[in-house]
């Protein structure tokens, strides 16, 4: 007897519908899996056989051929265990087959017949909804995750017996329901708060500008000046995720296998902080079957690179294309996948190898040559893509001992939200633009016109600092954000002058 079950395979962060065809015929007992299965799928033969027997189902001692279609798509992972098991039950007439064409199955089976969660369920659920699949049958540990997709019926099952009972008696089972919008609204805000930061008025101002415009930011300062403390508080002043953004972020984390068991939505903007020993593939993604890297896991959030100059130069160069385009493309012999990477880069570094160049208290022990080699680790094209470059100085003694808290993140976020709302109203005719950092040259001509005074300031900065055209455009973007924070319709001299001040590294070199 022949049975067909629907499942799906992950390609990048999307999913492709996969048919699991099971044919049971006469011949010597054997189970064959064809259709480009990887080792984990090949091993499902032994897992499903033991699981069905231990769950109390008679296993057909005949020749079983399992075909995974399309045959030219590589199938990987244990998520095909459940559809293969259901296919064997359907082909041997142990479950009813009326509803199989409207359902999609995925899950790993244990040898006792219980179902284990798998990665990528949200991506598959979103794809199933687009494919017209009416329902999804998944392990109980994945049910909350899949149920956040609207207009999709999701059934969570603990074991094979529950799956068989559902197919034979569907009316006795209730689908899992999750109100994603409500869950997102109930999620608490980040615990870190800007009120814990003492002093550093210019750095706090730069952090606010970065949040309001989506600008990349680097802090330069001696050890212990608060660079990391400031960076970790950026998510606390960013606008909360919208429901569609939360779905995007959760889908990436689902594919990467980073969602906690029984988790549903990622409710907060991601904050990723890879170690400086990270490799290029771990940062941008890759592998034989490409998986998202740190920059994609930071999508719609923050990528923090602490000790920026300690990263290998070739690894940092991988960031150039994602910073410009908002996505990264991974190409392999058999396939090419695209991962989203719209993140805010925030980095920190010391001003020299010893860390104390320019410090008023601790003398620098580095030679001019060593400082030159230190900064040479950061290429000009990469630094051009960092809008805000800010010196974070040593705290004064009276600042260290002050007991009064600084301005809390809540008040700063209110100003950030107002500035972003002004930008959204300005970009209403161009939905691809989310914030000022997304503007291209054509947008700058429209929304950042220069008068005689601002033009003179820009020309002087280009001549003195030797700025590239890209760096000049980024000064205009930052100036536009500063104007939005001030509630100004047009760029004024003070907005452009402040934006120029945030090119610290250009002035140091």
């Amino acid at each position: 007897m022949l049975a067909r079950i629907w499942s799906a395979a992950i390609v990048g962060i999307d999913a492709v519908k996969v048919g699991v065809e099971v044919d049971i015929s006469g011949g010597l007992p054997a189970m064959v899996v064809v259709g480009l299965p990887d080792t984990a799928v090949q091993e499902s033969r032994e897992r499903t056989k033991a699981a069905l027997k231990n769950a109390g189902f008679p296993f057909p001692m005949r020749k079983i051929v399992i075909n995974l279609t399309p045959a030219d798509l590589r199938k990987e992972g244990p998520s095909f265990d459940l559809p293969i098991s259901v296919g064997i039950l359907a082909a041997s007439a142990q479950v009813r087959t009326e509803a199989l064409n409207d359902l999609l199955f995925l899950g790993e089976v244990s040898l006792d017949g219980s179902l284990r969660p798998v990665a990528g369920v949200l991506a598959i659920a979103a794809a199933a909804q687009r494919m017209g699949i009416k329902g999804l049958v998944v392990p109980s540990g994945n049910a909350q995750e899949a149920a956040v997709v609207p207009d999709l019926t999701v059934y969570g099952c603990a074991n094979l017996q529950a799956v068989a009972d559902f197919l034979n008696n569907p009316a006795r089972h209730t689908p899992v329901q999750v109100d994603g919008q409500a869950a997102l609204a109930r999620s608490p805000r980040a615990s870190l708060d800007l009120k814990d930061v003492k002093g550093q008025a210019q750095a706090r101002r730069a952090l606010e500008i970065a949040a309001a415009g989506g600008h990349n930011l680097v802090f330069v300062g001696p050890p212990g000046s608060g660079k990391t403390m400031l960076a970790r508080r950026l998510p606390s002043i960013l606008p909360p995720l919208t429901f569609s953004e939360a779905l995007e972020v959760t889908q990436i984390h689902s594919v990467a296998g980073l969602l906690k068991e029984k988790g549903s939505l990622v409710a907060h903007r991601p904050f990723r902080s890879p170690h400086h020993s990270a490799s290029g593939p771990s940062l941008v993604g890759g592998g034989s079957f490409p998986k998202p890297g740190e920059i994609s896991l930071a999508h719609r959030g923050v990528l923090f690179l602490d000790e920026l100059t300690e990263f290998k130069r070739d690894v940092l160069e991988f960031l150039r294309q994602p910073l410009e385009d908002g996505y990264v493309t991974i190409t392999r012999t058999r396939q090419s996948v695209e991962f989203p990477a719209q993140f805010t880069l925030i980095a920190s570094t010391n001003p020299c190898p010893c860390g104390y160049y320019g410090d008023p208290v601790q003398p620098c022990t580095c030679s001019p040559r060593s400082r030159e080699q230190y900064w040479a680790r950061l290429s000009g094209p990469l630094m051009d893509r960092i809008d805000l470059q800010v010196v974070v100085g040593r705290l004064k003694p009276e600042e260290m001992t002050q007991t009064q808290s600084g301005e809390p993140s809540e008040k700063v976020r209110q100003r950030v939200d107002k500035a972003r709302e002004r930008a959204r109203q300005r970009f209403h005719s161009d939905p691809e633009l989310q914030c000022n950092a997304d503007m291209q040259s054509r947008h700058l001509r429209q929304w950042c016109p220069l008068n005689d005074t601002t033009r003179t300031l820009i020309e002087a900065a280009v001549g003195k600092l030797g700025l590239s055209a890209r760096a000049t455009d980024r000064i205009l973007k930052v100036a536009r954000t500063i104007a939005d924070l001030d509630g100004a319709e047009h760029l004024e001299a003070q907005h452009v002058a402040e934006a120029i001040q945030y090119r610290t590294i250009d002035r140091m070199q």
Side-chain angles (χ1 to χ4, degrees):
M1 184 176 175
L2 175 67
R4 170 178 284 177
I5 312 298
W6 294 116
S7 189
I10 296 291
V11 178
I13 62 167
D14 208 345
V16 177
K17 193 176 183 181
V18 172
V20 180
E21 299 174 337
V22 179
D23 179 70
I24 300 179
S25 60
L28 293 175
M31 186 186 297
V32 180
V33 181
V34 297
L36 281 183
D38 73 345
T39 303
V41 180
Q42 289 281 11
E43 291 174 347
S44 68
R45 296 175 299 177
E46 307 304 324
R47 286 195 298 272
T48 54
K49 183 176 180 180
L52 288 170
K53 286 183 176 180
N54 291 330
F57 298 101
F59 190 83
M61 300 305 293
R62 304 172 70 184
K63 184 177 181 179
I64 303 174
V65 178
I66 300 166
N67 180 38
L68 307 178
T69 61
D72 61 344
L73 175 68
R74 184 76 172 175
K75 323 300 186 307
E76 64 170 338
S79 61
F80 293 100
D81 288 1
L82 178 57
I84 288 174
S85 300
V86 173
I88 293 173
L89 293 175
S92 58
Q94 298 185 62
V95 295
R96 298 173 61 180
T97 60
E98 290 86 347
L100 291 182
N101 200 47
D102 296 326
L103 297 172
L104 190 146
F105 297 80
L106 66 152
E108 178 185 350
V109 298
S110 297
L111 297 187
D112 62 355
S114 61
L115 301 184
R116 295 172 54 83
V118 293
V121 169
L122 181 60
I124 293 174
Q129 197 260 354
R130 294 193 301 269
M131 296 171 191
I133 296 291
K134 295 181 180 178
L136 205 64
V137 180
V138 297
S140 298
N142 288 128
Q144 296 285 325
E145 174 187 346
V148 300
V149 177
D151 303 322
L152 182 69
T153 305
V154 176
Y155 296 92
C157 297
N159 48 49
L160 288 176
Q161 295 98 323
V163 176
D165 185 67
F166 164 69
L167 291 173
N168 291 326
N169 305 282
R172 297 198 306 196
H173 292 258
T174 303
V176 177
Q177 294 183 341
V178 173
D179 188 342
Q181 299 272 14
L184 196 62
R186 290 195 303 268
S187 62
R189 294 293 302 180
S191 57
L192 298 178
D193 198 290
L194 270 179
K195 67 182 180 182
D196 302 325
V197 178
K198 298 179 180 180
Q200 305 298 4
Q202 186 185 31
R204 290 172 60 103
R205 170 68 170 173
L207 212 62
E208 181 177 342
I209 295 170
H215 302 290
N216 303 318
L217 166 66
V218 61
F219 287 131
V220 183
S225 57
K227 303 185 296 295
T228 302
M229 185 178 187
L230 283 159
R232 293 191 177 278
R233 280 153 179 77
L234 177 57
S236 70
I237 61 175
L238 288 171
L241 286 170
T242 64
F243 182 67
S244 61
E245 289 176 336
L247 280 178
E248 287 181 51
V249 174
T250 307
Q251 186 169 331
I252 297 170
H253 284 69
S254 175
V255 170
L258 297 180
L259 288 186
K260 296 180 180 179
E261 188 174 353
K262 296 186 179 180
S264 52
L265 279 179
V266 175
H268 302 293
R269 292 191 181 273
F271 183 92
R272 304 294 300 182
S273 179
H275 191 259
H276 60 74
S277 62
S279 64
S282 70
L283 203 62
V284 302
S288 301
F289 303 100
K291 298 292 184 184
E294 290 291 340
I295 64 173
S296 294
L297 294 172
H299 180 62
R300 302 295 184 188
V302 178
L303 177 69
F304 175 45
L305 301 184
D306 199 9
E307 303 298 341
L308 182 66
T309 47
E310 298 302 324
F311 284 80
K312 295 179 181 178
R313 176 166 176 150
D314 59 335
V315 172
L316 292 177
E317 293 305 294
F318 282 121
L319 293 173
R320 287 164 56 176
Q321 184 250 337
L323 284 174
E324 198 71 23
D325 300 332
Y327 64 88
V328 60
T329 303
I330 308 295
T331 303
R332 294 293 181 265
T333 303
R334 288 184 173 271
Q335 62 180 339
S336 178
V337 299
E338 186 177 289
F339 295 121
Q342 292 182 330
F343 58 90
T344 297
L345 172 65
I346 184 167
S348 69
T349 183
N350 295 329
C352 65
C354 78
Y356 294 102
Y357 178 65
D359 187 77
V361 178
Q362 183 79 22
C364 175
T365 59
C366 305
S367 66
R369 176 60 178 167
S370 65
R371 287 197 295 268
E372 182 181 343
Q373 292 175 335
Y374 185 76
W375 284 107
R377 301 176 189 178
L378 306 177
S379 70
L382 176 63
M383 299 312 299
D384 271 354
R385 290 168 168 82
I386 299 181
D387 307 354
L388 301 162
Q389 305 164 3
V390 182
V391 169
V392 182
R394 179 190 293 268
L395 285 176
K396 298 176 182 178
E398 58 270 22
E399 291 176 330
M400 293 183 186
T401 57
Q402 71 180 27
T403 57
Q404 184 178 359
S405 299
E407 188 178 24
S409 293
E410 180 64 32
K411 286 188 176 180
V412 179
R413 189 171 61 251
Q414 290 174 3
R415 295 196 296 269
V416 168
D417 288 342
K418 290 180 180 178
R420 289 226 176 188
E421 180 58 32
R422 293 188 185 98
R424 278 193 293 269
Q425 293 175 2
R426 187 164 58 246
F427 302 145
H428 72 277
S429 60
D430 198 337
E432 292 184 0
L433 299 180
Q434 302 292 322
C435 54
N436 290 329
D438 296 335
M439 290 191 292
Q440 304 298 321
S441 296
R442 66 182 187 277
H443 303 124
L444 294 175
R445 289 191 295 270
Q446 179 180 357
W447 290 310
C448 301
L450 299 177
N451 56 34
D452 291 341
T453 304
T454 54
R455 184 177 293 105
T456 300
L457 282 172
I458 291 291
E459 291 173 354
V462 171
K464 185 176 181 179
L465 304 178
L467 299 177
S468 67
R470 180 186 290 114
T472 304
D473 284 351
R474 290 183 179 272
I475 286 177
L476 291 176
K477 294 178 187 180
V478 172
R480 180 65 266 173
T481 299
I482 295 171
D484 287 341
L485 285 169
D486 287 351
E489 185 69 24
H490 302 289
L491 295 188
E492 302 295 343
Q494 66 269 24
H495 305 140
V496 175
E498 183 178 357
I500 293 172
Q501 291 302 308
Y502 296 121
R503 303 300 302 185
T504 298
I505 295 177
D506 294 319
R507 298 199 301 272
M508 291 174 62
Q509 294 176 329

